[in-house]
Amino acid sequence: MQNTKEKKSLWVLPWKYPESFLIAFALFLASLGIEFITGTTVPKISWPANLVSIALLANLSLLLYLLSKKRAVFKWFYSVPASIAGVTLFVVPSLLLALIPQKSSDSLFFLYDVTSSWTYTIGVVFFLIILGTVTIKRITKLSKKNIGFFLNHFGLWLCIASAHLGAGDIQKLNMYLEEGKTTWYGIENGNRTEELNFAIKLRDFSIEEYPAKIAFVESSTGEIINQNNKPLMIDPHEGLQFNYKDFDFKIDKLLMSSAPVMNRFEPVLGMGATQSLKILKSFNEKVDTIWISSPSILYRQEMHQIDSSTIMLMTKPEAKRFLSEITVYEKAGAVYDTIIEVNKPIKIAGWKIYQTSYDETMGRWSTKSILELVKDPWLPSVYLGFFLLIAGTFYLIWTGKRKEDV
């Protein structure tokens, strides 16, 4: 029996998976070519150019759908093969973004600066055109099922378009505060000053520290000794017993705020006070008392030479929690006190403000605080897209459940 089904030639309509992936691959090669020839990333666009770009993308999808009614070739834009190819071209750079640490680079932007690369941008634009055309096609045939589809797909379209094309409007400033002084400007990229519509007065800056770790250091290099591929360090607490080489140690006293007095440390609360440990060192039933301390802005760090090759010391304490007590003066006239600390940002006049750092040379005696100010006017649009996406998902689940119940 003769097989009458003929093998379809490439580029004969309707286009299927081979043509779709060839188009996606050609776009990928073109983006790499642009990147290597220009040696630059994609310029970021800001308001109102990004709004115009979003409108153009939406209208282009609408135009392609309308043209599909007259020319069969345009039906490819809302076909399943085109959708799969578009998803692939978008997802591959996104995976690179997740898998490869991003850094500033003068080349290989598609690997190390993905969101600014031509490969990612062209992938996003192609995906948005395909997604937009598919969404318009389904919404023209209004039904309960298509309502959920529209919410899902338009929500995704809005999220990606707003996040990518709105990135040029994101502002990031640093604000440097000093106790007792009022600051009304932020600094961008370390040099450009921008006056703000509010001012902040730092009333007090405070730090809560973890107990400094005990570390064992090589005398010849000053490097912390590694044991089992980990730095040899101990978290101290009173009563802790440990041994090293032929010596036994017991922590007799932990002082979180102290100062040297003769050959020991005593509790104090003044400027420059440091953490210290009283340790009992035993060897062949002989017990010695030793003191070690962490670095301080006023006092020398006390260390103990265990033997000719090893020193025991306390590291610089790590900050457990640090916060700024501030007074905010808004241009509209509002004045109020608040607190800002790490991982607990506040919002002031459209800015999201994060506690990021302080004067580390002064440690817990720092009177300076460093804040990061971020403004992203497109964030509500991104949130709206997420809301529509989730609403569409629940709508489809609800309508599917109703069908099962019937």
Side-chain angles (χ1 to χ4, degrees):
M1 184 175 178
Q2 188 176 1
N3 186 5
T4 57
K5 186 177 180 181
E6 295 183 3
K7 186 177 179 181
K8 176 181 170 295
S9 299
L10 201 62
W11 304 115
V12 173
L13 293 175
W15 292 344
K16 299 296 184 182
Y17 286 103
E19 293 89 349
S20 300
F21 279 100
L22 281 172
I23 291 171
F25 186 63
L27 289 171
F28 177 72
L29 290 180
S31 64
L32 285 181
I34 295 171
E35 191 165 298
F36 283 113
I37 290 170
T38 63
T40 60
T41 55
V42 179
K44 287 186 177 180
I45 55 175
S46 56
W47 181 272
N50 44 19
L51 180 63
V52 173
S53 299
I54 290 174
L56 287 173
L57 281 173
N59 280 283
L60 179 58
S61 293
L62 177 60
L63 177 62
L64 291 170
Y65 171 72
L66 294 175
L67 289 173
S68 70
K69 295 181 175 297
K70 297 181 178 181
R71 299 290 297 272
V73 65
F74 294 105
K75 292 181 179 180
W76 173 80
F77 284 93
Y78 50 74
S79 67
V80 173
S83 299
I84 300 299
V87 169
T88 303
L89 193 60
F90 170 66
V91 167
V92 169
S94 301
L95 287 175
L96 294 177
L97 177 65
L99 297 174
I100 299 175
Q102 301 297 287
K103 61 183 181 181
S104 296
S105 175
D106 294 330
S107 61
L108 300 178
F109 305 116
F110 71 99
L111 292 178
Y112 301 116
D113 192 4
V114 171
T115 56
S116 297
S117 68
W118 287 96
T119 51
Y120 180 74
T121 300
I122 289 177
V124 167
V125 170
F126 181 64
F127 177 67
L128 289 175
I129 291 170
I130 298 294
L131 181 61
T133 310
V134 171
T135 305
I136 291 169
K137 177 181 180 294
R138 290 294 289 267
I139 200 60
T140 53
K141 298 177 181 178
L142 196 60
S143 67
K144 289 183 178 180
K145 183 179 178 180
N146 283 347
I147 290 173
F149 184 94
F150 172 78
L151 291 173
N152 251 310
H153 287 66
F154 178 68
L156 180 60
W157 188 93
L158 187 61
C159 276
I160 295 173
S162 300
H164 185 74
L165 295 173
D169 286 327
I170 296 176
Q171 281 185 280
K172 289 185 178 182
L173 306 174
N174 287 323
M175 179 178 274
Y176 299 89
L177 305 178
E178 191 170 345
E179 284 184 357
K181 295 184 179 180
T182 303
T183 305
W184 61 92
Y185 57 88
I187 298 175
E188 186 177 23
N189 297 326
N191 47 31
R192 192 179 73 83
T193 300
E194 179 171 332
E195 188 171 333
L196 301 166
N197 57 351
F198 62 90
I200 295 178
K201 180 181 180 180
L202 179 62
R203 292 183 289 111
D204 184 58
F205 179 78
S206 57
I207 299 179
E208 182 181 344
E209 294 178 334
Y210 288 106
K213 297 178 185 292
I214 299 172
F216 297 86
V217 175
E218 292 182 3
S219 301
S220 58
T221 63
E223 299 291 329
I224 296 176
I225 295 169
N226 280 325
Q227 188 176 76
N228 299 323
N229 295 322
K230 293 181 179 179
L232 185 53
M233 294 192 292
I234 298 172
D235 291 311
H237 60 81
E238 291 185 358
L240 177 67
Q241 298 184 42
F242 57 95
N243 58 69
Y244 183 75
K245 294 186 176 179
D246 296 325
F247 301 96
D248 295 318
F249 300 92
K250 180 181 179 180
I251 298 177
D252 185 57
K253 189 180 293 185
L254 167 61
L255 300 177
M256 293 296 291
S257 183
S258 62
V261 179
M262 303 296 288
N263 60 348
R264 66 186 188 280
F265 282 77
E266 294 292 342
V268 297
L269 296 175
M271 171 75 75
T274 185
Q275 295 187 30
S276 61
L277 289 171
K278 180 185 178 183
I279 300 176
L280 304 179
K281 175 185 176 184
S282 304
F283 178 70
N284 289 339
E285 299 184 355
K286 180 185 177 183
V287 179
D288 294 320
T289 299
I290 61 175
W291 286 88
I292 59 175
S293 65
S294 58
S296 165
I297 60 172
L298 288 184
Y299 305 116
R300 185 186 67 180
Q301 181 182 19
E302 290 294 330
M303 299 176 282
H304 176 68
Q305 188 87 40
I306 295 177
D307 55 28
S308 59
S309 63
T310 312
I311 295 173
M312 180 170 61
L313 53 77
M314 294 183 77
T315 61
K316 185 177 180 180
E318 296 178 2
K320 181 179 182 180
R321 176 177 179 240
F322 54 95
L323 58 88
S324 300
E325 297 179 30
I326 61 174
T327 300
V328 179
Y329 304 90
E330 293 193 17
K331 206 167 187 177
V335 179
Y336 52 91
D337 295 335
T338 188
I339 293 174
I340 177 170
E341 60 180 295
V342 177
N343 298 324
K344 293 182 179 180
I346 63 172
K347 289 183 178 180
I348 303 175
W351 292 86
K352 202 163 189 178
I353 303 177
Y354 300 84
Q355 175 75 65
T356 56
S357 190
Y358 53 93
D359 185 353
E360 295 185 9
T361 58
M362 294 294 290
R364 64 191 175 112
W365 309 109
S366 173
T367 58
K368 297 177 181 178
S369 174
I370 302 174
L371 308 179
E372 183 181 54
L373 286 63
V374 180
K375 179 185 278 188
D376 184 359
W378 287 88
L379 198 57
S381 181
V382 175
Y383 286 155
L384 175 60
F386 273 119
F387 173 77
L388 294 175
L389 181 61
I390 295 169
T393 301
F394 279 109
Y395 180 85
L396 290 173
I397 293 171
W398 177 66
T399 53
K401 179 66 177 169
R402 289 188 64 188
K403 286 181 180 179
E404 289 179 6
D405 292 342
V406 172

